[in-house]
Amino acid sequence: MTVVENNILAEKPSGAPAPELYRSVPKRRTLVRKYLRLDVAQSSRKHCTDPSQAQTASFHLKTLYLFTRSDIKTVLAPQIIFITAAVFSRESLTTAIDQTKYSNIQRLPLAILWIWLNLIVCGISNQRLADSIVEDEHNKPWRPLAAKRLTPAQAQRLLLGMIPLVVTVSAFMGGFKPTISMMTLLWMYNDLDGSSINIWARNAINTGGIMCFSAGALEVISGGDLLPKAWAWIGVTGAVIATTVQALDFPDMEGDQARGRKTIPLLYGEGIARGGLAVMVLLWSTACPLFWNLQPAAWAAPLGVGALMAALVMMRRNKKSDDIVAKLWCLWLAVLYVLPLFAA
């Protein structure tokens, strides 16, 4: 099952008060200075279990993969579905009208590469921060910095090298403007601490990140510029995610509360969050087929999955049911992504 989560830029913990787990941790600046003062030779000796392995290409490639491992099923796979459905739609969404379906498939690996390179930048930018490292040591110890595969200073240098590389690749391959927009959003989220303003600002930045991936990958696979219809569809799917992503918050409300995370169910109450989700799911299950002017038969899948999710989120309030709701949300979003295939 394809999983789509609105967490491209949201790996860094929000500006909520530090939970009990982190109160004994030094302040971010102190911790960052501590990491940055580590000597490179010393860090290589301490943080690489096998120094000879650290010099191999496979070691470095695995490190890059680990920066993006969480995003394979949450970003890469959903975006492949999104762009494939878009280029196979009967309605032209880009200016590359002379491209055949076969040529689009040939360009799919380029689009995947573009997505992955941008994911690397996102991953390093998010995971290099001191509080992110501390949290990953407890929750995702396989991540490169938590696993001591490299130091924060080395991650910073890697990021400084990756950004111009990805921008240059995008300038030649396509998706240049979405890449620049992505870098801006990362700067706002991490360096300007945009995640701590409020949950809606954080969701807006995260949704912007998803839309950048959609726009850039579609440019790359099509080899052309996006038409207004494509931009409108990207905007609609972004709004869908921004207004329904709380479906992923219900299964872990206890954990989020313990860690001091600000989520819609915890801020506004479970009843309001569930009711709002049900309403928005039914709304988008109707609006998206209308957007593509689909025949009545094509409405069955989005309305069916959406209605099931809305009913379950309102009628059952337990961990098992909430897990099912989260999976149904992922399936429902994938169904919406393929709607262009059924456009007249």
Side-chain angles (χ1 to χ4, degrees):
M1 179 181 297
T2 300
V3 180
V4 185
E5 295 182 54
N6 188 23
N7 66 346
I8 308 306
L9 310 175
E11 297 293 346
K12 183 174 75 65
S14 67
E20 191 67 30
L21 177 62
Y22 303 129
R23 288 178 183 170
S24 61
V25 180
K27 297 294 185 180
R28 178 189 296 179
R29 292 180 180 175
T30 303
L31 192 54
V32 170
R33 286 197 296 269
K34 172 185 174 183
Y35 278 121
L36 293 179
R37 284 198 301 264
L38 289 176
D39 179 77
V40 174
Q42 182 184 17
S43 65
S44 298
R45 183 171 60 255
K46 288 186 177 181
H47 299 306
C48 296
T49 56
D50 185 357
S52 62
Q53 183 189 29
Q55 305 303 317
T56 65
S58 61
F59 179 88
H60 296 307
L61 284 174
K62 184 175 181 180
T63 298
L64 294 178
Y65 161 73
L66 291 174
F67 272 119
T68 62
R69 174 180 158 183
S70 297
D71 301 315
I72 300 299
K73 65 179 181 179
T74 61
V75 180
L76 182 60
Q79 289 305 317
I80 291 174
I81 295 174
F82 179 88
I83 61 177
T84 302
V87 295
F88 276 89
S89 173
R90 293 187 182 93
E91 184 170 350
S92 296
L93 297 178
T94 71
T95 57
I97 56 176
D98 57 335
Q99 290 279 4
T100 65
K101 305 305 180 186
Y102 178 72
S103 63
N104 289 144
I105 291 298
Q106 286 182 312
R107 292 181 62 86
L108 180 59
L110 294 178
I112 294 174
L113 176 63
W114 183 90
I115 295 171
W116 189 59
L117 289 175
N118 279 273
L119 281 176
I120 292 173
V121 173
C122 291
I124 300 172
S125 179
N126 293 327
Q127 297 169 36
R128 66 186 169 86
L129 301 173
D131 46 4
S132 295
I133 297 172
V134 172
E135 184 172 4
D136 285 342
E137 286 175 348
H138 293 275
N139 298 330
K140 297 177 181 178
W142 45 264
R143 282 184 165 174
L145 289 159
K148 314 302 184 195
R149 296 178 70 90
L150 75 170
T151 67
Q154 292 169 331
Q156 184 182 41
R157 289 194 292 272
L158 178 59
L159 182 61
L160 288 172
M162 284 299 302
I163 289 176
L165 172 63
V166 174
V167 170
T168 302
V169 169
S170 298
F172 288 95
M173 186 185 296
F176 177 75
K177 291 180 180 179
T179 291
I180 297 299
S181 300
M182 180 77 70
M183 305 301 175
T184 303
L185 291 171
L186 284 169
W187 172 65
M188 292 170 60
Y189 192 92
N190 290 321
D191 298 282
L192 297 185
D193 211 19
S195 63
S196 65
I197 298 175
N198 57 59
I199 190 172
W200 297 109
R202 185 166 72 248
N203 280 355
I205 296 175
N206 290 329
T207 300
I210 291 287
M211 294 169 66
C212 287
F213 277 105
S214 298
L218 185 53
E219 282 187 20
V220 174
I221 194 174
S222 67
D225 295 326
L226 272 57
L227 295 174
K229 182 81 170 185
W231 286 112
W233 178 232
I234 290 171
V236 168
T237 55
V240 168
I241 293 172
T243 55
T244 62
V245 72
Q246 64 264 34
L248 303 177
D249 293 330
F250 293 116
D252 196 31
M253 284 192 296
E254 291 184 4
D256 288 336
Q257 189 171 25
R259 289 191 294 269
R261 290 190 182 279
K262 294 179 180 179
T263 64
I264 291 177
L266 294 178
L267 283 177
Y268 297 99
E270 188 176 350
I272 293 177
R274 289 180 182 274
L277 175 62
V279 170
M280 295 310 299
V281 165
L282 294 175
L283 173 65
W284 291 120
S285 296
T286 304
C288 290
L290 280 174
F291 179 90
W292 290 106
N293 194 27
L294 300 184
Q295 296 297 319
W299 290 52
L303 275 176
V305 178
L308 178 60
M309 177 168 51
L312 191 60
V313 77
M314 294 301 298
M315 297 174 62
R316 300 287 182 88
R317 302 191 180 193
N318 55 66
K319 181 69 166 57
K320 182 178 180 180
S321 296
D322 288 341
D323 285 335
I324 296 175
V325 167
K327 293 177 181 178
L328 283 174
W329 183 84
C330 299
L331 174 62
W332 174 72
L333 197 60
V335 169
L336 297 184
Y337 275 179
V338 301
L339 290 183
L341 292 174
F342 303 97

